[in-house]
Amino acid sequence: MASGNKWISGLTADTVLTDAARRALTVRLELVRKTLAPALYEADQDPEHVHQLRVATRRARAVLDVFAVCLPAKVCKRARRALRDLRRAAGAARDWDVFLLALAQRQRRPAARQRPGLDFLTGHALAQRLAAQEHLLETGQHHPIASDRLLADTVAAVRRPHDLQGRLLIDLARPTLAALLEDLDAAAGRDLHDYEQLHQVRIAGKRLRYAMELFADCFAPAFQEDLYPAVEAMQEILGNANDSHVACGRLEELRARAETLLGDQAKRMLPGIDGLLRYHEQRLLKERECFETWWAGWREAGSEEAFQSLLKKP
């Protein structure tokens, strides 16, 4: 997604909270509407369209979570459900795009014994990708009317919260970011050799990153210029790890099915499957090590302390 879509202009520390909520929800939900049509109808021209829709739904969900205090529970629940359905459908298609990309790289100069397996995987992945696109089309079939209604109804429902001290954006920014930073710290302190724990770090980091994009102009330039790029780099590492984890699961399942259904013919497929599986297993280990290095650097550089210092009231 273009870097210009990360930030929401017009929001400052002194923006009235309800005005900030309307502005942020409008920008993020409009981006979902804008990216939906290309993802539905032009995905075969550029797989990036589906990726942009997926990220747009994540950013919109992050804004919903932040400004849930300004919305009736029923409105918030309805918007979350609509975004969830789109995000999952786009996510399924995107995961197969990523799988096919890694597969294409392996096929540039494959060993002769791996070609049958790689061809088998390509055919299977293409079939799954086409099915995922059909599901995405079905999920978004009411575009653009449903997207327009979602935006209008959600923004119109914004109200001043009764249980929040203060009425400005900064009054929400400080406690929100402090809690998200604490969540990241707790997640990173667990046993990361267990992938599910590493995945929780990814979720915590993603929530922190998207909230930082929303609150960027509430703080000193170092917030956007120094801290945000570091969190973004972390997300890149953990995204690569997640891609390989998903691929490993699919390859292990396909290997088992090939042996069961194809009998002796499966022997021709296994070298290609196993080669790609080893690649993703090794990359997963490498990316986990990269995160551990990143985390050590983050702490040694005093980034967490700098972050907390920015959040303190002057």
Side-chain angles (χ1 to χ4, degrees):
M1 179 167 289
S3 59
N5 291 327
K6 293 178 182 178
W7 317 110
I8 301 178
S9 63
L11 299 182
T12 68
D14 296 329
T15 302
V16 174
L17 190 58
T18 49
D19 291 342
R22 294 186 186 97
R23 170 67 176 159
L25 287 165
T26 298
V27 170
R28 291 304 195 224
L29 291 174
E30 171 61 24
L31 189 58
V32 172
R33 190 195 67 80
K34 180 180 177 181
T35 57
L36 184 55
L40 293 180
Y41 308 117
E42 300 173 20
D44 57 339
Q45 299 176 26
D46 186 349
E48 189 67 14
H49 292 319
V50 172
H51 177 54
Q52 290 184 359
L53 173 61
R54 186 185 198 181
V55 175
T57 59
R58 286 174 174 171
R59 285 189 163 116
R61 170 59 192 264
V63 166
L64 271 175
D65 289 344
V66 167
F67 289 111
V69 295
C70 297
L71 290 168
K74 185 181 296 185
V75 172
C76 202
K77 182 178 180 180
R78 185 166 57 245
R80 282 173 173 159
R81 186 186 303 117
L83 291 172
R84 179 202 63 198
D85 292 345
L86 279 177
R87 184 183 70 251
R88 288 179 177 176
R94 175 61 181 172
D95 284 346
W96 283 112
D97 282 336
V98 172
F99 186 91
L100 282 163
L101 178 61
L103 189 54
Q105 293 173 343
R106 298 285 295 183
Q107 286 180 309
R108 288 176 182 173
R109 293 183 180 178
R113 62 193 299 269
Q114 290 189 350
R115 286 174 183 164
L118 294 176
D119 289 342
F120 164 75
L121 290 173
T122 300
H124 175 80
L126 283 172
Q128 294 295 320
R129 178 61 183 85
L130 290 172
Q133 187 66 27
E134 286 299 318
H135 178 59
L136 179 56
L137 280 166
E138 181 180 336
T139 303
Q141 64 181 323
H142 299 300
H143 170 79
I145 296 175
S147 298
D148 292 342
R149 183 181 299 117
L150 175 65
L151 193 161
D153 292 350
T154 305
V155 173
V158 170
R159 63 188 182 185
R160 182 176 178 179
H162 300 293
D163 55 351
L164 181 69
Q165 296 296 322
R167 63 183 185 86
L168 303 179
L169 185 59
I170 191 64
D171 300 319
L172 181 62
R174 289 194 179 102
T176 298
L177 290 170
L180 291 172
L181 190 62
E182 184 177 342
D183 289 345
L184 176 62
D185 189 64
R190 301 189 183 108
D191 180 10
L192 302 186
H193 289 83
D194 177 355
Y195 177 75
E196 288 307 314
Q197 299 299 336
L198 187 64
H199 183 59
Q200 292 306 310
V201 179
R202 177 172 175 258
I203 292 173
K206 185 164 51 181
R207 289 173 176 166
L208 177 62
R209 174 187 174 184
Y210 292 152
M212 290 178 73
E213 293 171 354
L214 172 61
F215 296 126
D217 289 333
C218 292
F219 301 99
F223 182 90
Q224 183 173 337
E225 295 172 3
D226 300 328
L227 295 174
Y228 179 83
V231 174
E232 189 176 34
M234 174 193 66
Q235 282 301 104
E236 182 72 19
I237 293 168
L238 295 176
N240 290 337
N242 183 69
D243 291 342
S244 283
H245 175 74
V246 171
C248 284
R250 287 177 171 169
L251 289 165
E252 288 168 354
E253 181 182 359
L254 281 170
R255 191 186 196 284
R257 288 189 176 184
E259 288 185 302
T260 300
L261 299 175
L262 300 179
D264 290 341
Q265 294 183 35
K267 294 179 181 179
R268 298 175 55 249
M269 313 296 180
L270 295 184
I273 297 174
D274 289 342
L276 188 58
L277 179 57
R278 283 193 300 272
Y279 163 77
H280 281 294
E281 288 173 340
Q282 291 167 3
R283 192 174 81 147
L284 179 54
L285 292 174
K286 177 184 176 182
E287 296 298 339
R288 186 182 66 202
E289 292 172 357
C290 286
F291 171 74
E292 290 171 346
T293 300
W294 179 93
W295 184 245
W298 169 264
R299 296 177 72 85
E300 289 171 6
S303 298
E304 188 168 354
E305 291 78 3
F307 203 134
Q308 291 172 343
S309 178
L310 284 173
L311 298 181
K312 293 179 180 178
K313 294 183 179 180

